[in-house]
Amino acid sequence: MGLKRYLVRFVCFCALCSSAVYADDIPEVIFATTIHYPPYEYRENGEPKGLAIDIAKEALTRVGVKQIDFQFFPWKRAVYVTEHGERDLLFNAGKNEPRQKWGYYVDSVLIQQSYVLFKRKADLFKVKPDFSNVIDKDISVRAGYLYGSGKFRNALDDKRFHKIELADSTEQSVNQLLNDRVDMFVGDLLPVMFYIKEQGLDEKIDIVMHEGERMEVLSWSTYLLFSKARVGPAFVEKVRLAMEQMKADGTFAAIESQYQY
């Protein structure tokens, strides 16, 4: 075998070995990014806290990561820096095809978001699950949200509500409700309840119920999403197994119980 051919084969062999080591490597530090969205992820007195933070910390610690650096950005910026390999991890991210081109989703649900309707506590009206009785009701929805493809989305598309107002935040939705601009608004249960309690509005705002249960209009799964430029699939699989073990041994439920309302 000629020296040149030997060197080519040796370089290819080294590259394959390097790739395998990379795929199985456990980073000592994970650089994670997300948005400020309590109680899922937020800073309090400079420390990262929240439901998603606690789950991510536990799962990554279980696979051998020694340190996690959490950085908070507006969502578009958080997606950008992870997509372009400036950060290792984006969370909590919904699944879509474009992100799967540059990232590895951990195939174990991180957060199961529950969207429900909120009303003034003094109002006694009821809402039917098919939204056939809301023609006299005004509702606030979040600008840019799609709300899936179920009965609630159909009610919006079919203009079954008297009027639809847009809001850019939980604070704006709450203000619209309390200032009588709308009769109800739709919101992510845990973040809205966090805001209501933080602002001392428990006696003013209530959840719309149906037959004794919260009337959920949408359930949305979110995940950990790693940059392909920063970690390999073997590492991502280890994180998935750690999360599944957390669900099996009760750790996941114990963390979730700290954030229930």
Side-chain angles (χ1 to χ4, degrees):
M1 181 186 294
L3 178 61
K4 184 175 181 181
R5 182 176 297 179
Y6 173 82
L7 289 174
V8 169
R9 290 190 176 184
F10 179 76
V11 169
C12 291
F13 173 78
C14 289
L16 288 171
C17 291
S18 175
S19 176
V21 170
Y22 171 76
D24 289 320
D25 193 32
I26 304 295
E28 286 198 6
V29 182
I30 285 291
F31 295 91
T33 185
T34 187
I35 58 170
H36 178 84
Y37 193 26
Y40 297 139
E41 53 263 344
Y42 62 105
R43 284 196 186 276
E44 185 174 274
N45 299 322
E47 292 295 318
K49 291 189 174 183
L51 173 57
I53 296 278
D54 291 349
I55 293 171
K57 276 184 177 179
E58 178 66 21
L60 292 170
T61 298
R62 287 191 181 200
V63 300
V65 174
K66 293 182 170 55
Q67 181 183 345
I68 309 162
D69 179 86
F70 292 100
Q71 196 163 9
F72 295 83
F73 290 120
W75 183 247
K76 287 185 178 180
R77 176 65 178 165
V79 173
Y80 179 89
V81 295
T82 313
E83 178 181 357
H84 289 83
E86 297 175 30
R87 305 288 290 183
D88 300 304
L89 170 63
L90 173 72
F91 71 100
N92 48 46
K95 280 189 177 181
N96 66 29
E97 287 189 17
R99 291 175 192 163
Q100 293 184 59
K101 294 178 180 178
W102 56 261
Y104 297 118
Y105 281 99
V106 176
D107 196 18
S108 182
V109 174
L110 174 67
I111 302 290
Q112 193 66 40
Q113 296 177 345
S114 176
Y115 286 81
V116 300
L117 299 174
F118 293 87
K119 66 177 183 62
R120 289 178 291 273
K121 202 156 195 172
D123 292 344
L124 302 178
F125 65 82
K126 294 182 179 181
V127 176
K128 293 182 179 180
D130 62 357
F131 302 96
S132 59
N133 65 332
V134 293
I135 191 61
D136 62 337
K137 297 293 184 285
D138 299 335
I139 188 170
S140 174
V141 302
R142 289 291 288 272
Y145 281 40
L146 299 179
Y147 296 112
S149 58
K151 294 179 181 178
F152 181 65
R153 178 71 258 176
N154 291 339
L156 296 176
D157 292 340
D158 295 343
K159 297 181 172 55
R160 294 182 200 168
F161 293 93
H162 177 258
K163 183 174 62 175
I164 298 174
E165 295 275 357
L166 299 180
D168 293 318
S169 65
T170 296
E171 180 181 7
Q172 187 176 4
S173 296
V174 168
N175 288 338
Q176 288 171 335
L177 182 70
L178 296 183
N179 290 325
D180 295 328
R181 288 181 54 192
V182 296
D183 300 292
M184 67 187 91
F185 70 87
V186 60
D188 189 350
L189 176 63
L190 292 187
V192 174
M193 292 301 297
F194 183 92
Y195 180 84
I196 287 172
K197 290 190 175 295
E198 190 179 55
Q199 300 298 316
L201 298 173
D202 306 64
E203 297 305 314
K204 294 185 177 181
I205 300 176
D206 205 358
I207 297 171
V208 174
M209 309 290 283
H210 177 71
E211 296 182 350
E213 299 289 336
R214 292 167 175 163
M215 189 169 167
E216 183 179 80
V217 301
L218 175 68
S219 183
W220 180 255
S221 303
T222 68
Y223 301 84
L224 300 175
L225 175 59
F226 286 94
S227 171
K228 289 181 179 179
R230 306 274 292 198
V231 305
F235 169 73
V236 176
E237 174 62 9
K238 286 174 178 152
V239 177
R240 185 192 72 80
L241 292 173
M243 289 182 66
E244 290 299 301
Q245 182 58 40
M246 288 167 60
K247 292 173 181 178
D249 65 22
T251 303
F252 214 96
I255 294 173
E256 288 180 320
S257 69
Q258 300 175 44
Y259 297 91
Q260 298 305 308
Y261 295 98

